[in-house]
Amino acid sequence: MALTIEEVKKNTSYKRLPILILDERYHRLFPEEDKTPEIKKLEKKLSDMLKRQGQVTNDLKAVKKIKADLIQSVLQNVENTELSDSKRQKLMNANQKLILEAKEKIEALEQEETDMPENIRTANLALVLECVEVCYERIHQNYEDIQILGKWINEVRIELKKKVLVKQDKETKNAEIYSYMHDLLGPEMMEIFDNKSSN
């Protein structure tokens, strides 16, 4: 029975798990051709989250700069005596609206930035759990194969021992036959037969 994300999260050490797709050991354990469709899907989700985290950081810097520029523009418009009151008010209203939108965007990005590490850990944990399940399936399959191969090797070993004994017996018999023929017919006659046999 596989563990759930909630069960693993109860153990605080899950926060120390490496981000799998950034770890070389993971890529050795799961080369591209060994990845299941589910692993590929979870990898993509995690990769997209990591990219999004970088994008949120960049967006946050950009929006804060825009807000600062808008505030600076408001201050310049207040001090600009060349503008008419109505023009100044129009610019102030437009800038205030943009500043409010920037503020809301910053709050949303900051919240996303705050939530992102936990979301990434959860996505990573989902990938970890899937990989662990696949690894244990491989281990169990290998264990079954090892048992089958061990049985086959033992059977072959017994058969090999039998064949070695048969071979040794035939070698002994050949030596005896040749020796008796040699004793019976004599060396000169055996030489004639040996020469004829080798042609």
Side-chain angles (χ1 to χ4, degrees):
M1 184 174 104
L3 289 171
T4 65
I5 288 176
E6 290 72 30
E7 290 171 323
V8 176
K9 279 186 171 183
K10 289 176 186 173
N11 185 327
T12 54
S13 66
Y14 98 93
K15 290 183 177 181
R16 293 191 304 271
L17 284 172
I19 301 297
L20 289 189
I21 61 174
L22 303 179
D23 194 304
E24 184 57 37
R25 295 168 295 186
Y26 166 75
H27 294 289
R28 284 195 301 252
L29 191 59
F30 282 97
E32 200 58 38
E33 64 274 8
D34 289 349
K35 293 176 184 173
T36 64
E38 183 64 15
I39 286 175
K40 288 179 182 180
K41 184 181 95 176
L42 292 169
E43 261 187 13
K44 180 170 181 353
K45 180 179 179 183
L46 181 57
S47 177
D48 290 347
M49 289 179 115
L50 290 170
K51 288 175 191 168
R52 178 65 188 152
Q53 185 179 40
Q55 187 63 50
V56 166
T57 302
N58 291 338
D59 289 353
L60 198 50
K61 286 178 188 173
V63 175
K64 283 180 178 179
K65 173 140 179 35
I66 290 168
K67 182 181 171 192
D69 291 347
L70 287 168
I71 291 170
Q72 186 63 38
S73 176
V74 167
L75 294 174
Q76 288 172 351
N77 289 339
V78 168
E79 297 169 0
N80 188 347
T81 54
E82 296 176 7
L83 293 173
S84 67
D85 285 343
S86 64
K87 178 105 174 155
R88 183 179 294 120
Q89 190 60 43
K90 220 180 199 182
L91 284 171
M92 291 282 282
N93 290 342
N95 283 341
Q96 283 178 337
K97 183 178 180 236
L98 290 172
I99 289 170
L100 185 60
E101 288 174 7
K103 182 178 179 258
E104 290 170 357
K105 182 71 174 168
I106 288 168
E107 287 172 1
L109 287 169
E110 284 175 339
Q111 185 60 53
E112 189 175 356
E113 186 179 50
T114 300
D115 296 341
M116 193 62 72
E118 184 59 29
N119 293 341
I120 288 171
R121 274 196 297 274
T122 300
N124 186 57
L125 185 53
L127 179 59
V128 167
L129 292 175
E130 181 64 22
C131 290
V132 167
E133 192 168 319
V134 169
C135 285
Y136 273 110
E137 284 174 14
R138 287 181 189 169
I139 288 169
H140 291 306
Q141 184 59 56
N142 285 341
Y143 180 76
E144 288 174 16
D145 292 346
I146 288 166
Q147 298 305 308
I148 291 167
L149 289 168
K151 184 179 175 192
W152 179 84
I153 288 167
N154 285 335
E155 289 170 1
V156 169
R157 188 177 287 136
I158 291 167
E159 189 62 30
L160 181 62
K161 285 179 184 177
K162 289 179 185 175
K163 299 280 187 197
V164 167
L165 290 175
V166 169
K167 177 182 174 272
Q168 289 172 344
D169 187 48
K170 290 191 178 290
E171 288 170 345
T172 302
K173 290 249 192 270
N174 275 355
E176 286 176 2
I177 292 169
Y178 192 82
S179 177
Y180 288 141
M181 286 174 62
H182 197 274
D183 289 346
L184 181 64
L185 302 175
E188 292 85 15
M189 189 57 74
M190 282 306 294
E191 188 175 339
I192 294 168
F193 289 122
D194 284 343
N195 289 338
K196 184 72 173 161
S197 173
S198 63
N199 288 336

